[in-house]
Amino acid sequence: AKALHNPIHTGGENGSLVLDAVRATMKIAPDEDQGKVVAAAREAARAYMRAGESFVWNATNTTRAMRERLVDFFIAYGRVRIVYLEAPLPELLRRNATRSRPVPESYIRRLAERIEVPDATEAHRVEWVIADASPADPAWTALDSRAVLVGGHSPDEGGRIGKPHGTIRANGKVL
């Protein structure tokens, strides 16, 4: 994937839009209004999609409604894959405490109470990665519990979501 110029630092490698990085660049706290953060990230995503580049939208998308808005946005440009990464709440809180810019614990707990696990009908492909609390678990290459939307550039059936496909992984093993 070629690098696209973007005035907002989007974090990660080329093709990765990390909303935490966008938020930090814009100096907006996680518990403040996220409208400007999402708008900036959407513009960056639009640039990838117009260029026909695949990318990862790396953000906590806890509800189906949140994911649905993004999937509707991405689907006009190609196939959409959701990768749901889950970890136990105590492990999420431990990892958050080690971050350079930790998210308020009350905010994480509130999100955890509202989580709606993605189902196979939400995208062209849905993967569920469930990690145990062991740092040796290969799933710990993931940042934390979040639904990551992966936008691609291979339209299928006019962009409509067809037969759902899903993969479940737990503790590094495909189930």
Side-chain angles (χ1 to χ4, degrees):
K2 65 182 177 183
L4 298 173
H5 172 71
N6 191 328
I8 298 291
H9 173 67
T10 55
E13 299 296 318
N14 291 338
S16 181
L17 301 174
V18 182
L19 266 65
D20 287 343
V22 175
R23 188 178 299 111
T25 299
M26 298 177 79
K27 298 180 178 13
I28 296 175
D31 54 354
E32 292 179 22
D33 181 14
Q34 300 298 298
K36 291 180 182 179
V37 173
V38 173
R42 285 174 65 100
E43 280 306 309
R46 192 172 279 117
Y48 281 113
M49 292 185 291
R50 285 183 183 143
E53 298 287 328
S54 293
F55 65 98
V56 174
W57 179 279
N58 185 339
T60 305
N61 294 290
T62 55
T63 67
R64 183 180 185 116
M66 292 171 77
R67 293 185 299 272
E68 194 170 74
R69 284 190 297 268
L70 290 169
V71 168
D72 288 348
F73 172 59
F74 299 149
I75 206 162
Y77 292 90
R79 296 178 57 81
V80 177
R81 182 175 88 195
I82 295 175
V83 180
Y84 171 75
L85 308 172
E86 182 179 299
L89 182 59
E91 181 61 19
L92 295 178
L93 296 173
R94 184 195 69 74
R95 291 169 60 87
N96 181 60
T98 67
R99 295 174 67 168
S100 59
R101 293 180 304 272
V103 175
E105 184 176 320
S106 61
Y107 186 71
I108 292 173
R109 288 182 181 281
R110 190 167 57 245
L111 290 176
E113 289 172 4
R114 297 179 184 163
I115 190 78
E116 295 173 15
V117 176
D119 68 51
T121 64
E122 291 187 46
H124 293 99
R125 181 179 178 103
V126 178
E127 296 178 43
W128 301 267
V129 180
I130 313 301
D132 66 19
S134 167
D137 184 339
W140 281 115
T141 57
L143 294 174
D144 53 38
S145 180
R146 57 181 74 222
V148 179
L149 298 174
V150 182
H153 185 69
S154 44
D156 181 49
E157 300 176 25
R160 292 185 308 274
I161 295 175
K163 181 180 175 189
H165 181 275
T167 304
I168 300 176
R169 295 179 204 185
N171 302 324
K173 297 178 183 163
V174 175
L175 300 178

